[in-house]
Amino acid sequence: GENVEQHPSTLSVQEGDSAVIKCTYSDSASNYFPWYKQELGKRPQLIIDIRSNVGEKKDQRIAVTLNKTAKHFSLHITETQPEDSAVYFCAAKGADSSYKLIFGSGTRLLVRP
Amino acid sequence: EAGVAQSPRYKIIEKRQSVAFWCNPISGHATLYWYQQILGQGPKLLIQFQNNGVVDDSQLPKDRFSAERLKGVDSTLKIQPAKLEDSAVYLCASVGGWASNTGELFFGEGSRLTVL
């Protein structure tokens, strides 16, 4: 089955700097890659996603890139702000009809003011 | 639009006791998931329903965990008997349809279980 690995497990950046979180997946047939943000004690919420037919997607300060050949995708946050501090999870969904979404282990991002 | 509802929010039990969690997905969402999130880890899929049928339960410890989704709406997840390692947040999520929308999973607030 699908396996998703995420790095780093923790990331500390200065406010205003950029943050990059990387994930790799095992199933080459996977076709959908969302990123979820989870603040302390709250539910995970979708912040951006990308499908396998595109290589990059941007939404204001966040962007996701996908390299299908290497089977990895990354989350980029520019001009980080303290409110970006949270745990970020990547995920991957296989191409079959099961709609099964497998999550990475998470990255705890701390933005220092 | 009402979100995914879960109850109870918190539950403390002793090992070998039983517990049940309830989830009401967003109206009309056919696919429902139960995830287990141990502190410091990513959500781990336990079971996935499509309407009232099980799509995937390969990661569900069937000797102690059970789940059902009668009538294809609400779902319950039961643990009997509980072990210390079952301490986690149990997240319910639903999605309307992968073909018609972004495929965003809508999560409930979770049910935090502590097994003593």
PDB file of all heavy atoms in Angstrom, chain A residues 32 36 38 41-44 46 49 51 89 93 98-101 103-105, chain B residues 33 35 37 41-43 45 48 55-56 98 101-105 107-109:
ATOM      1  N   TYR A  32      -3.256  12.574  -6.076  1.00  0.00           N
ATOM      2  CA  TYR A  32      -3.765  13.740  -5.355  1.00  0.00           C
ATOM      3  C   TYR A  32      -2.960  13.910  -4.075  1.00  0.00           C
ATOM      4  O   TYR A  32      -2.786  12.939  -3.312  1.00  0.00           O
ATOM      5  CB  TYR A  32      -5.254  13.545  -5.043  1.00  0.00           C
ATOM      6  CG  TYR A  32      -5.863  14.635  -4.199  1.00  0.00           C
ATOM      7  CD1 TYR A  32      -6.044  15.916  -4.710  1.00  0.00           C
ATOM      8  CD2 TYR A  32      -6.260  14.373  -2.895  1.00  0.00           C
ATOM      9  CE1 TYR A  32      -6.607  16.911  -3.924  1.00  0.00           C
ATOM     10  CE2 TYR A  32      -6.812  15.363  -2.115  1.00  0.00           C
ATOM     11  CZ  TYR A  32      -6.986  16.631  -2.630  1.00  0.00           C
ATOM     12  OH  TYR A  32      -7.535  17.620  -1.866  1.00  0.00           O
ATOM     13  N   TYR A  36      -2.318  19.535   5.017  1.00  0.00           N
ATOM     14  CA  TYR A  36      -3.205  19.940   6.092  1.00  0.00           C
ATOM     15  C   TYR A  36      -2.400  20.638   7.194  1.00  0.00           C
ATOM     16  O   TYR A  36      -1.265  20.263   7.483  1.00  0.00           O
ATOM     17  CB  TYR A  36      -3.932  18.729   6.692  1.00  0.00           C
ATOM     18  CG  TYR A  36      -5.070  18.232   5.835  1.00  0.00           C
ATOM     19  CD1 TYR A  36      -4.827  17.450   4.708  1.00  0.00           C
ATOM     20  CD2 TYR A  36      -6.387  18.554   6.151  1.00  0.00           C
ATOM     21  CE1 TYR A  36      -5.864  17.007   3.911  1.00  0.00           C
ATOM     22  CE2 TYR A  36      -7.434  18.116   5.356  1.00  0.00           C
ATOM     23  CZ  TYR A  36      -7.163  17.347   4.240  1.00  0.00           C
ATOM     24  OH  TYR A  36      -8.205  16.911   3.454  1.00  0.00           O
ATOM     25  N   GLN A  38      -2.556  21.680  11.244  1.00  0.00           N
ATOM     26  CA  GLN A  38      -3.242  21.365  12.489  1.00  0.00           C
ATOM     27  C   GLN A  38      -2.666  22.201  13.616  1.00  0.00           C
ATOM     28  O   GLN A  38      -1.518  22.020  14.022  1.00  0.00           O
ATOM     29  CB  GLN A  38      -3.132  19.877  12.827  1.00  0.00           C
ATOM     30  CG  GLN A  38      -3.976  19.459  14.026  1.00  0.00           C
ATOM     31  CD  GLN A  38      -3.944  17.956  14.267  1.00  0.00           C
ATOM     32  OE1 GLN A  38      -2.945  17.300  13.988  1.00  0.00           O
ATOM     33  NE2 GLN A  38      -5.031  17.408  14.787  1.00  0.00           N
ATOM     34  N   GLY A  41      -4.473  21.266  19.462  1.00  0.00           N
ATOM     35  CA  GLY A  41      -5.790  20.930  19.981  1.00  0.00           C
ATOM     36  C   GLY A  41      -6.932  21.098  19.013  1.00  0.00           C
ATOM     37  O   GLY A  41      -8.104  20.980  19.399  1.00  0.00           O
ATOM     38  N   LYS A  42      -6.603  21.355  17.739  1.00  0.00           N
ATOM     39  CA  LYS A  42      -7.670  21.572  16.755  1.00  0.00           C
ATOM     40  C   LYS A  42      -7.640  20.506  15.667  1.00  0.00           C
ATOM     41  O   LYS A  42      -6.731  19.694  15.595  1.00  0.00           O
ATOM     42  CB  LYS A  42      -7.539  22.966  16.157  1.00  0.00           C
ATOM     43  CG  LYS A  42      -7.733  24.078  17.185  1.00  0.00           C
ATOM     44  CD  LYS A  42      -7.834  25.431  16.533  1.00  0.00           C
ATOM     45  CE  LYS A  42      -8.121  26.506  17.568  1.00  0.00           C
ATOM     46  NZ  LYS A  42      -8.234  27.862  16.930  1.00  0.00           N
ATOM     47  N   ARG A  43      -8.641  20.541  14.819  1.00  0.00           N
ATOM     48  CA  ARG A  43      -8.735  19.561  13.749  1.00  0.00           C
ATOM     49  C   ARG A  43      -7.803  19.927  12.601  1.00  0.00           C
ATOM     50  O   ARG A  43      -7.521  21.097  12.378  1.00  0.00           O
ATOM     51  CB  ARG A  43     -10.176  19.504  13.241  1.00  0.00           C
ATOM     52  CG  ARG A  43     -10.603  20.709  12.422  1.00  0.00           C
ATOM     53  CD  ARG A  43     -12.079  20.701  12.096  1.00  0.00           C
ATOM     54  NE  ARG A  43     -12.888  21.178  13.207  1.00  0.00           N
ATOM     55  CZ  ARG A  43     -14.206  21.109  13.237  1.00  0.00           C
ATOM     56  NH1 ARG A  43     -14.868  20.556  12.247  1.00  0.00           N
ATOM     57  NH2 ARG A  43     -14.875  21.574  14.260  1.00  0.00           N
ATOM     58  N   PRO A  44      -7.341  18.958  11.827  1.00  0.00           N
ATOM     59  CA  PRO A  44      -6.569  19.272  10.625  1.00  0.00           C
ATOM     60  C   PRO A  44      -7.454  19.982   9.602  1.00  0.00           C
ATOM     61  O   PRO A  44      -8.617  19.617   9.427  1.00  0.00           O
ATOM     62  CB  PRO A  44      -6.132  17.888  10.111  1.00  0.00           C
ATOM     63  CG  PRO A  44      -6.287  16.959  11.267  1.00  0.00           C
ATOM     64  CD  PRO A  44      -7.439  17.491  12.056  1.00  0.00           C
ATOM     65  N   LEU A  46      -7.421  21.628   5.530  1.00  0.00           N
ATOM     66  CA  LEU A  46      -6.746  21.691   4.242  1.00  0.00           C
ATOM     67  C   LEU A  46      -6.257  23.108   3.966  1.00  0.00           C
ATOM     68  O   LEU A  46      -7.003  24.074   4.125  1.00  0.00           O
ATOM     69  CB  LEU A  46      -7.702  21.265   3.138  1.00  0.00           C
ATOM     70  CG  LEU A  46      -7.152  21.262   1.713  1.00  0.00           C
ATOM     71  CD1 LEU A  46      -6.163  20.119   1.544  1.00  0.00           C
ATOM     72  CD2 LEU A  46      -8.281  21.171   0.694  1.00  0.00           C
ATOM     73  N   ASP A  49      -3.684  21.924  -2.078  1.00  0.00           N
ATOM     74  CA  ASP A  49      -3.561  20.584  -2.626  1.00  0.00           C
ATOM     75  C   ASP A  49      -3.109  20.672  -4.081  1.00  0.00           C
ATOM     76  O   ASP A  49      -3.154  21.737  -4.701  1.00  0.00           O
ATOM     77  CB  ASP A  49      -4.869  19.803  -2.511  1.00  0.00           C
ATOM     78  CG  ASP A  49      -6.050  20.509  -3.182  1.00  0.00           C
ATOM     79  OD1 ASP A  49      -5.836  21.487  -3.937  1.00  0.00           O
ATOM     80  OD2 ASP A  49      -7.194  20.095  -2.929  1.00  0.00           O
ATOM     81  N   ARG A  51      -2.908  18.178  -7.829  1.00  0.00           N
ATOM     82  CA  ARG A  51      -3.181  16.927  -8.525  1.00  0.00           C
ATOM     83  C   ARG A  51      -1.998  16.580  -9.415  1.00  0.00           C
ATOM     84  O   ARG A  51      -1.182  17.443  -9.752  1.00  0.00           O
ATOM     85  CB  ARG A  51      -4.480  17.042  -9.326  1.00  0.00           C
ATOM     86  CG  ARG A  51      -5.686  17.221  -8.426  1.00  0.00           C
ATOM     87  CD  ARG A  51      -7.007  17.076  -9.140  1.00  0.00           C
ATOM     88  NE  ARG A  51      -8.130  17.272  -8.225  1.00  0.00           N
ATOM     89  CZ  ARG A  51      -8.676  16.310  -7.493  1.00  0.00           C
ATOM     90  NH1 ARG A  51      -8.196  15.082  -7.568  1.00  0.00           N
ATOM     91  NH2 ARG A  51      -9.675  16.572  -6.683  1.00  0.00           N
ATOM     92  N   PHE A  89       0.809  18.424   7.837  1.00  0.00           N
ATOM     93  CA  PHE A  89       0.794  17.044   7.358  1.00  0.00           C
ATOM     94  C   PHE A  89       0.622  17.019   5.846  1.00  0.00           C
ATOM     95  O   PHE A  89      -0.249  17.692   5.303  1.00  0.00           O
ATOM     96  CB  PHE A  89      -0.370  16.257   7.978  1.00  0.00           C
ATOM     97  CG  PHE A  89      -0.273  16.073   9.457  1.00  0.00           C
ATOM     98  CD1 PHE A  89      -0.981  16.895  10.317  1.00  0.00           C
ATOM     99  CD2 PHE A  89       0.515  15.071   9.987  1.00  0.00           C
ATOM    100  CE1 PHE A  89      -0.904  16.729  11.689  1.00  0.00           C
ATOM    101  CE2 PHE A  89       0.598  14.894  11.364  1.00  0.00           C
ATOM    102  CZ  PHE A  89      -0.114  15.732  12.206  1.00  0.00           C
ATOM    103  N   LYS A  93      -3.125  10.291  -2.121  1.00  0.00           N
ATOM    104  CA  LYS A  93      -4.254   9.424  -2.435  1.00  0.00           C
ATOM    105  C   LYS A  93      -3.941   8.622  -3.672  1.00  0.00           C
ATOM    106  O   LYS A  93      -3.468   9.150  -4.675  1.00  0.00           O
ATOM    107  CB  LYS A  93      -5.518  10.245  -2.681  1.00  0.00           C
ATOM    108  CG  LYS A  93      -6.752   9.373  -2.888  1.00  0.00           C
ATOM    109  CD  LYS A  93      -7.974  10.205  -3.245  1.00  0.00           C
ATOM    110  CE  LYS A  93      -8.013  10.573  -4.729  1.00  0.00           C
ATOM    111  NZ  LYS A  93      -8.206   9.404  -5.599  1.00  0.00           N
ATOM    112  N   SER A  98     -10.736   3.803  -4.347  1.00  0.00           N
ATOM    113  CA  SER A  98     -11.009   3.665  -2.916  1.00  0.00           C
ATOM    114  C   SER A  98     -10.993   4.983  -2.164  1.00  0.00           C
ATOM    115  O   SER A  98     -11.437   5.036  -1.029  1.00  0.00           O
ATOM    116  CB  SER A  98      -9.982   2.727  -2.283  1.00  0.00           C
ATOM    117  OG  SER A  98      -8.704   3.329  -2.269  1.00  0.00           O
ATOM    118  N   TYR A  99     -10.435   6.051  -2.746  1.00  0.00           N
ATOM    119  CA  TYR A  99     -10.371   7.356  -2.082  1.00  0.00           C
ATOM    120  C   TYR A  99      -9.620   7.278  -0.744  1.00  0.00           C
ATOM    121  O   TYR A  99      -9.921   8.005   0.184  1.00  0.00           O
ATOM    122  CB  TYR A  99     -11.765   7.919  -1.837  1.00  0.00           C
ATOM    123  CG  TYR A  99     -12.648   7.935  -3.055  1.00  0.00           C
ATOM    124  CD1 TYR A  99     -14.017   7.789  -2.933  1.00  0.00           C
ATOM    125  CD2 TYR A  99     -12.142   8.087  -4.324  1.00  0.00           C
ATOM    126  CE1 TYR A  99     -14.842   7.802  -4.040  1.00  0.00           C
ATOM    127  CE2 TYR A  99     -12.945   8.098  -5.440  1.00  0.00           C
ATOM    128  CZ  TYR A  99     -14.301   7.952  -5.278  1.00  0.00           C
ATOM    129  OH  TYR A  99     -15.123   7.949  -6.374  1.00  0.00           O
ATOM    130  N   LYS A 100      -8.653   6.400  -0.685  1.00  0.00           N
ATOM    131  CA  LYS A 100      -7.896   6.200   0.549  1.00  0.00           C
ATOM    132  C   LYS A 100      -6.802   7.252   0.653  1.00  0.00           C
ATOM    133  O   LYS A 100      -5.978   7.404  -0.249  1.00  0.00           O
ATOM    134  CB  LYS A 100      -7.288   4.804   0.525  1.00  0.00           C
ATOM    135  CG  LYS A 100      -6.546   4.383   1.758  1.00  0.00           C
ATOM    136  CD  LYS A 100      -6.131   2.923   1.571  1.00  0.00           C
ATOM    137  CE  LYS A 100      -5.245   2.431   2.670  1.00  0.00           C
ATOM    138  NZ  LYS A 100      -4.897   1.005   2.448  1.00  0.00           N
ATOM    139  N   LEU A 101      -6.787   8.031   1.742  1.00  0.00           N
ATOM    140  CA  LEU A 101      -5.823   9.113   1.928  1.00  0.00           C
ATOM    141  C   LEU A 101      -4.863   8.728   3.040  1.00  0.00           C
ATOM    142  O   LEU A 101      -5.292   8.487   4.176  1.00  0.00           O
ATOM    143  CB  LEU A 101      -6.554  10.402   2.268  1.00  0.00           C
ATOM    144  CG  LEU A 101      -5.782  11.704   2.118  1.00  0.00           C
ATOM    145  CD1 LEU A 101      -5.385  11.947   0.675  1.00  0.00           C
ATOM    146  CD2 LEU A 101      -6.610  12.874   2.632  1.00  0.00           C
ATOM    147  N   PHE A 103      -1.532   9.729   5.347  1.00  0.00           N
ATOM    148  CA  PHE A 103      -0.849  10.914   5.842  1.00  0.00           C
ATOM    149  C   PHE A 103       0.608  10.641   6.187  1.00  0.00           C
ATOM    150  O   PHE A 103       0.983   9.523   6.573  1.00  0.00           O
ATOM    151  CB  PHE A 103      -1.554  11.437   7.097  1.00  0.00           C
ATOM    152  CG  PHE A 103      -2.832  12.167   6.810  1.00  0.00           C
ATOM    153  CD1 PHE A 103      -4.017  11.471   6.612  1.00  0.00           C
ATOM    154  CD2 PHE A 103      -2.852  13.554   6.733  1.00  0.00           C
ATOM    155  CE1 PHE A 103      -5.203  12.151   6.342  1.00  0.00           C
ATOM    156  CE2 PHE A 103      -4.029  14.240   6.469  1.00  0.00           C
ATOM    157  CZ  PHE A 103      -5.198  13.536   6.264  1.00  0.00           C
ATOM    158  N   GLY A 104       1.423  11.691   6.081  1.00  0.00           N
ATOM    159  CA  GLY A 104       2.777  11.652   6.598  1.00  0.00           C
ATOM    160  C   GLY A 104       2.763  11.841   8.101  1.00  0.00           C
ATOM    161  O   GLY A 104       1.710  12.042   8.705  1.00  0.00           O
ATOM    162  N   SER A 105       3.944  11.810   8.701  1.00  0.00           N
ATOM    163  CA  SER A 105       4.061  11.839  10.154  1.00  0.00           C
ATOM    164  C   SER A 105       4.002  13.247  10.740  1.00  0.00           C
ATOM    165  O   SER A 105       3.919  13.407  11.952  1.00  0.00           O
ATOM    166  CB  SER A 105       5.363  11.168  10.586  1.00  0.00           C
ATOM    167  OG  SER A 105       6.455  11.767   9.920  1.00  0.00           O
TER     168      SER A 105
ATOM    169  N   TYR B  33     -14.344   8.370   7.112  1.00  0.00           N
ATOM    170  CA  TYR B  33     -13.103   7.761   7.593  1.00  0.00           C
ATOM    171  C   TYR B  33     -13.010   7.885   9.114  1.00  0.00           C
ATOM    172  O   TYR B  33     -13.434   8.883   9.696  1.00  0.00           O
ATOM    173  CB  TYR B  33     -11.883   8.497   7.030  1.00  0.00           C
ATOM    174  CG  TYR B  33     -11.819   8.673   5.535  1.00  0.00           C
ATOM    175  CD1 TYR B  33     -12.526   9.695   4.912  1.00  0.00           C
ATOM    176  CD2 TYR B  33     -11.015   7.856   4.742  1.00  0.00           C
ATOM    177  CE1 TYR B  33     -12.453   9.885   3.543  1.00  0.00           C
ATOM    178  CE2 TYR B  33     -10.929   8.050   3.369  1.00  0.00           C
ATOM    179  CZ  TYR B  33     -11.649   9.064   2.773  1.00  0.00           C
ATOM    180  OH  TYR B  33     -11.562   9.247   1.421  1.00  0.00           O
ATOM    181  N   TYR B  35      -9.778   7.924  11.669  1.00  0.00           N
ATOM    182  CA  TYR B  35      -8.330   7.953  11.813  1.00  0.00           C
ATOM    183  C   TYR B  35      -7.972   7.928  13.290  1.00  0.00           C
ATOM    184  O   TYR B  35      -8.677   8.492  14.127  1.00  0.00           O
ATOM    185  CB  TYR B  35      -7.746   9.234  11.206  1.00  0.00           C
ATOM    186  CG  TYR B  35      -7.655   9.251   9.698  1.00  0.00           C
ATOM    187  CD1 TYR B  35      -8.708   9.728   8.920  1.00  0.00           C
ATOM    188  CD2 TYR B  35      -6.502   8.822   9.038  1.00  0.00           C
ATOM    189  CE1 TYR B  35      -8.617   9.754   7.534  1.00  0.00           C
ATOM    190  CE2 TYR B  35      -6.398   8.853   7.651  1.00  0.00           C
ATOM    191  CZ  TYR B  35      -7.466   9.321   6.913  1.00  0.00           C
ATOM    192  OH  TYR B  35      -7.367   9.353   5.531  1.00  0.00           O
ATOM    193  N   GLN B  37      -4.988   9.237  15.763  1.00  0.00           N
ATOM    194  CA  GLN B  37      -3.820  10.119  15.826  1.00  0.00           C
ATOM    195  C   GLN B  37      -3.195  10.051  17.207  1.00  0.00           C
ATOM    196  O   GLN B  37      -3.706  10.630  18.165  1.00  0.00           O
ATOM    197  CB  GLN B  37      -4.188  11.556  15.474  1.00  0.00           C
ATOM    198  CG  GLN B  37      -2.965  12.455  15.342  1.00  0.00           C
ATOM    199  CD  GLN B  37      -3.276  13.856  14.857  1.00  0.00           C
ATOM    200  OE1 GLN B  37      -4.374  14.362  15.025  1.00  0.00           O
ATOM    201  NE2 GLN B  37      -2.306  14.496  14.243  1.00  0.00           N
ATOM    202  N   GLN B  41       2.176  12.158  16.128  1.00  0.00           N
ATOM    203  CA  GLN B  41       2.200  11.397  14.885  1.00  0.00           C
ATOM    204  C   GLN B  41       1.118  11.879  13.931  1.00  0.00           C
ATOM    205  O   GLN B  41       0.214  12.622  14.317  1.00  0.00           O
ATOM    206  CB  GLN B  41       2.008   9.903  15.180  1.00  0.00           C
ATOM    207  CG  GLN B  41       3.095   9.295  16.051  1.00  0.00           C
ATOM    208  CD  GLN B  41       2.889   7.811  16.269  1.00  0.00           C
ATOM    209  OE1 GLN B  41       2.144   7.146  15.539  1.00  0.00           O
ATOM    210  NE2 GLN B  41       3.564   7.267  17.272  1.00  0.00           N
ATOM    211  N   GLY B  42       1.211  11.421  12.692  1.00  0.00           N
ATOM    212  CA  GLY B  42       0.195  11.757  11.717  1.00  0.00           C
ATOM    213  C   GLY B  42      -1.024  10.864  11.869  1.00  0.00           C
ATOM    214  O   GLY B  42      -0.952   9.800  12.491  1.00  0.00           O
ATOM    215  N   PRO B  43      -2.157  11.300  11.328  1.00  0.00           N
ATOM    216  CA  PRO B  43      -3.358  10.464  11.388  1.00  0.00           C
ATOM    217  C   PRO B  43      -3.144   9.131  10.675  1.00  0.00           C
ATOM    218  O   PRO B  43      -2.641   9.105   9.549  1.00  0.00           O
ATOM    219  CB  PRO B  43      -4.417  11.311  10.682  1.00  0.00           C
ATOM    220  CG  PRO B  43      -3.902  12.718  10.744  1.00  0.00           C
ATOM    221  CD  PRO B  43      -2.422  12.586  10.675  1.00  0.00           C
ATOM    222  N   LEU B  45      -5.036   5.828   9.174  1.00  0.00           N
ATOM    223  CA  LEU B  45      -6.360   5.366   8.758  1.00  0.00           C
ATOM    224  C   LEU B  45      -6.699   4.042   9.420  1.00  0.00           C
ATOM    225  O   LEU B  45      -5.949   3.075   9.344  1.00  0.00           O
ATOM    226  CB  LEU B  45      -6.404   5.202   7.233  1.00  0.00           C
ATOM    227  CG  LEU B  45      -7.723   4.718   6.654  1.00  0.00           C
ATOM    228  CD1 LEU B  45      -8.821   5.756   6.879  1.00  0.00           C
ATOM    229  CD2 LEU B  45      -7.589   4.431   5.161  1.00  0.00           C
ATOM    230  N   GLN B  48     -12.449   2.906   6.457  1.00  0.00           N
ATOM    231  CA  GLN B  48     -13.076   3.795   5.498  1.00  0.00           C
ATOM    232  C   GLN B  48     -14.381   3.169   5.029  1.00  0.00           C
ATOM    233  O   GLN B  48     -14.425   1.989   4.660  1.00  0.00           O
ATOM    234  CB  GLN B  48     -12.137   4.019   4.320  1.00  0.00           C
ATOM    235  CG  GLN B  48     -12.702   4.863   3.207  1.00  0.00           C
ATOM    236  CD  GLN B  48     -11.802   4.926   1.987  1.00  0.00           C
ATOM    237  OE1 GLN B  48     -10.625   4.586   2.072  1.00  0.00           O
ATOM    238  NE2 GLN B  48     -12.344   5.336   0.876  1.00  0.00           N
ATOM    239  N   VAL B  55     -14.860   0.010   2.803  1.00  0.00           N
ATOM    240  CA  VAL B  55     -13.959   0.020   1.655  1.00  0.00           C
ATOM    241  C   VAL B  55     -12.596  -0.527   2.044  1.00  0.00           C
ATOM    242  O   VAL B  55     -11.977  -1.292   1.305  1.00  0.00           O
ATOM    243  CB  VAL B  55     -13.820   1.447   1.095  1.00  0.00           C
ATOM    244  CG1 VAL B  55     -12.773   1.489  -0.019  1.00  0.00           C
ATOM    245  CG2 VAL B  55     -15.159   1.966   0.604  1.00  0.00           C
ATOM    246  N   ASP B  56     -12.118  -0.099   3.223  1.00  0.00           N
ATOM    247  CA  ASP B  56     -10.796  -0.521   3.680  1.00  0.00           C
ATOM    248  C   ASP B  56     -10.782  -0.560   5.197  1.00  0.00           C
ATOM    249  O   ASP B  56     -11.120   0.434   5.838  1.00  0.00           O
ATOM    250  CB  ASP B  56      -9.730   0.460   3.177  1.00  0.00           C
ATOM    251  CG  ASP B  56      -8.313  -0.028   3.442  1.00  0.00           C
ATOM    252  OD1 ASP B  56      -7.953  -0.224   4.617  1.00  0.00           O
ATOM    253  OD2 ASP B  56      -7.552  -0.215   2.473  1.00  0.00           O
ATOM    254  N   TRP B  98     -14.754  12.517  -4.712  1.00  0.00           N
ATOM    255  CA  TRP B  98     -13.456  12.901  -5.244  1.00  0.00           C
ATOM    256  C   TRP B  98     -13.551  13.438  -6.668  1.00  0.00           C
ATOM    257  O   TRP B  98     -12.762  14.247  -7.101  1.00  0.00           O
ATOM    258  CB  TRP B  98     -12.493  11.711  -5.212  1.00  0.00           C
ATOM    259  CG  TRP B  98     -12.158  11.324  -3.828  1.00  0.00           C
ATOM    260  CD1 TRP B  98     -12.749  10.358  -3.073  1.00  0.00           C
ATOM    261  CD2 TRP B  98     -11.176  11.922  -2.992  1.00  0.00           C
ATOM    262  NE1 TRP B  98     -12.185  10.314  -1.831  1.00  0.00           N
ATOM    263  CE2 TRP B  98     -11.219  11.253  -1.754  1.00  0.00           C
ATOM    264  CE3 TRP B  98     -10.258  12.952  -3.173  1.00  0.00           C
ATOM    265  CZ2 TRP B  98     -10.370  11.577  -0.692  1.00  0.00           C
ATOM    266  CZ3 TRP B  98      -9.411  13.287  -2.120  1.00  0.00           C
ATOM    267  CH2 TRP B  98      -9.472  12.598  -0.905  1.00  0.00           C
ATOM    268  N   ASN B 101     -15.325  17.374  -6.535  1.00  0.00           N
ATOM    269  CA  ASN B 101     -14.792  18.528  -5.799  1.00  0.00           C
ATOM    270  C   ASN B 101     -13.309  18.372  -5.575  1.00  0.00           C
ATOM    271  O   ASN B 101     -12.660  17.555  -6.207  1.00  0.00           O
ATOM    272  CB  ASN B 101     -15.557  18.729  -4.490  1.00  0.00           C
ATOM    273  CG  ASN B 101     -15.408  17.541  -3.547  1.00  0.00           C
ATOM    274  OD1 ASN B 101     -14.502  16.740  -3.703  1.00  0.00           O
ATOM    275  ND2 ASN B 101     -16.298  17.441  -2.597  1.00  0.00           N
ATOM    276  N   THR B 102     -12.763  19.187  -4.692  1.00  0.00           N
ATOM    277  CA  THR B 102     -11.319  19.161  -4.483  1.00  0.00           C
ATOM    278  C   THR B 102     -10.860  17.894  -3.790  1.00  0.00           C
ATOM    279  O   THR B 102      -9.671  17.633  -3.735  1.00  0.00           O
ATOM    280  CB  THR B 102     -10.890  20.351  -3.620  1.00  0.00           C
ATOM    281  OG1 THR B 102     -11.507  20.235  -2.331  1.00  0.00           O
ATOM    282  CG2 THR B 102     -11.295  21.664  -4.261  1.00  0.00           C
ATOM    283  N   GLY B 103     -11.789  17.137  -3.224  1.00  0.00           N
ATOM    284  CA  GLY B 103     -11.367  15.969  -2.475  1.00  0.00           C
ATOM    285  C   GLY B 103     -10.966  16.300  -1.066  1.00  0.00           C
ATOM    286  O   GLY B 103     -10.339  15.492  -0.399  1.00  0.00           O
ATOM    287  N   GLU B 104     -11.361  17.491  -0.587  1.00  0.00           N
ATOM    288  CA  GLU B 104     -10.983  17.895   0.760  1.00  0.00           C
ATOM    289  C   GLU B 104     -11.696  17.047   1.799  1.00  0.00           C
ATOM    290  O   GLU B 104     -12.912  16.888   1.770  1.00  0.00           O
ATOM    291  CB  GLU B 104     -11.345  19.357   0.975  1.00  0.00           C
ATOM    292  CG  GLU B 104     -11.074  19.865   2.386  1.00  0.00           C
ATOM    293  CD  GLU B 104     -11.418  21.337   2.550  1.00  0.00           C
ATOM    294  OE1 GLU B 104     -11.871  21.950   1.573  1.00  0.00           O
ATOM    295  OE2 GLU B 104     -11.238  21.849   3.674  1.00  0.00           O
ATOM    296  N   LEU B 105     -10.902  16.520   2.729  1.00  0.00           N
ATOM    297  CA  LEU B 105     -11.464  15.818   3.871  1.00  0.00           C
ATOM    298  C   LEU B 105     -11.862  16.848   4.918  1.00  0.00           C
ATOM    299  O   LEU B 105     -11.085  17.745   5.242  1.00  0.00           O
ATOM    300  CB  LEU B 105     -10.441  14.863   4.487  1.00  0.00           C
ATOM    301  CG  LEU B 105     -10.575  13.379   4.173  1.00  0.00           C
ATOM    302  CD1 LEU B 105     -10.381  13.147   2.700  1.00  0.00           C
ATOM    303  CD2 LEU B 105      -9.610  12.568   4.996  1.00  0.00           C
ATOM    304  N   PHE B 107     -12.637  17.235   8.712  1.00  0.00           N
ATOM    305  CA  PHE B 107     -12.437  16.513   9.961  1.00  0.00           C
ATOM    306  C   PHE B 107     -13.355  17.040  11.056  1.00  0.00           C
ATOM    307  O   PHE B 107     -13.683  18.233  11.105  1.00  0.00           O
ATOM    308  CB  PHE B 107     -10.990  16.661  10.440  1.00  0.00           C
ATOM    309  CG  PHE B 107     -10.009  15.821   9.684  1.00  0.00           C
ATOM    310  CD1 PHE B 107      -9.377  16.313   8.565  1.00  0.00           C
ATOM    311  CD2 PHE B 107      -9.709  14.533  10.108  1.00  0.00           C
ATOM    312  CE1 PHE B 107      -8.458  15.546   7.857  1.00  0.00           C
ATOM    313  CE2 PHE B 107      -8.793  13.759   9.418  1.00  0.00           C
ATOM    314  CZ  PHE B 107      -8.167  14.258   8.289  1.00  0.00           C
ATOM    315  N   GLY B 108     -13.716  16.127  11.961  1.00  0.00           N
ATOM    316  CA  GLY B 108     -14.364  16.543  13.189  1.00  0.00           C
ATOM    317  C   GLY B 108     -13.324  17.020  14.179  1.00  0.00           C
ATOM    318  O   GLY B 108     -12.115  16.979  13.906  1.00  0.00           O
ATOM    319  N   GLU B 109     -13.795  17.467  15.348  1.00  0.00           N
ATOM    320  CA  GLU B 109     -12.883  17.960  16.376  1.00  0.00           C
ATOM    321  C   GLU B 109     -12.085  16.836  17.028  1.00  0.00           C
ATOM    322  O   GLU B 109     -11.081  17.078  17.676  1.00  0.00           O
ATOM    323  CB  GLU B 109     -13.673  18.718  17.452  1.00  0.00           C
ATOM    324  CG  GLU B 109     -14.344  19.992  16.966  1.00  0.00           C
ATOM    325  CD  GLU B 109     -13.390  21.157  16.845  1.00  0.00           C
ATOM    326  OE1 GLU B 109     -12.168  20.978  17.043  1.00  0.00           O
ATOM    327  OE2 GLU B 109     -13.872  22.261  16.540  1.00  0.00           O
TER     328      GLU B 109
END
